[in-house]
Amino acid sequence: MRYAGAVSRLLAYLVDALLLVAAATGTIATVALVAQVGGAPLDGLARLLAATYALGLPTVFAAGCALFWALAGRTPGMALLGLRVVALDGRPVRWPAALLRAVVLAYFPVGAAWLLVDRRRQALHDKLARTAVTRRGDAR
């Protein structure tokens, strides 16, 4: 099995994060526009939206990643770079592992640095979920 390196995994993460931020920003802008047209005061709405953005993004990121990993074995960023998440035995990731992996990554992203010192390039979320990230064609 060829394990994916830190650079390709970071680039995939950044692509996925940018897609999420773009979607969230568009949603928030739409809600703000509708609220403004409806006559809502923008100062209170802006604080509410900022808090929702800061607290809700990790949850949405975790849910989206878990969904992509469990259904397709990869997120859009991973697909772009030819990466796939697999169980340690090479089989597709199951729902519990995908969810655990996503929650740990979303709420403790610094744990991803562990892949820099691990021989299988597993980050903390990979260790806990018993998964690995491989290059295209390496998963069964």
Side-chain angles (χ1 to χ4, degrees), residues 106-119:
Y107 288 99
F108 191 66
V110 73
W114 187 256
L115 73 91
L116 296 172
V117 296
D118 189 80
R119 67 181 173 85

Side-chain angles (χ1 to χ4, degrees), residues 11-130:
L11 289 174
Y13 178 85
L14 291 175
V15 167
D16 293 332
L18 286 173
L19 289 172
L20 173 66
V21 167
T25 301
T27 301
I28 288 171
T30 302
V31 168
L33 181 63
V34 169
Q36 186 177 15
V37 169
L42 286 182
D43 59 336
L45 181 63
R47 281 193 298 273
L48 175 66
L49 290 174
T52 302
Y53 191 80
L55 298 174
L57 274 181
T59 302
V60 173
F61 184 77
C65 285
L67 183 70
F68 277 111
W69 291 331
L71 294 178
R74 60 180 67 194
T75 61
M78 294 174 83
L80 183 68
L81 289 157
L83 307 178
R84 179 177 296 279
V85 176
V86 296
L88 289 180
D89 61 5
R91 288 193 258 184
V93 176
R94 299 183 63 116
W95 280 102
L99 186 57
L100 174 63
R101 187 177 195 280
V103 168
V104 173
L105 177 60
Y107 288 99
F108 191 66
V110 73
W114 187 256
L115 73 91
L116 296 172
V117 296
D118 189 80
R119 67 181 173 85
R120 285 192 268 181
R121 297 185 185 134
Q122 287 180 293
L124 178 64
H125 51 275
D126 291 312
K127 294 279 187 194
L128 293 173
R130 301 184 47 80

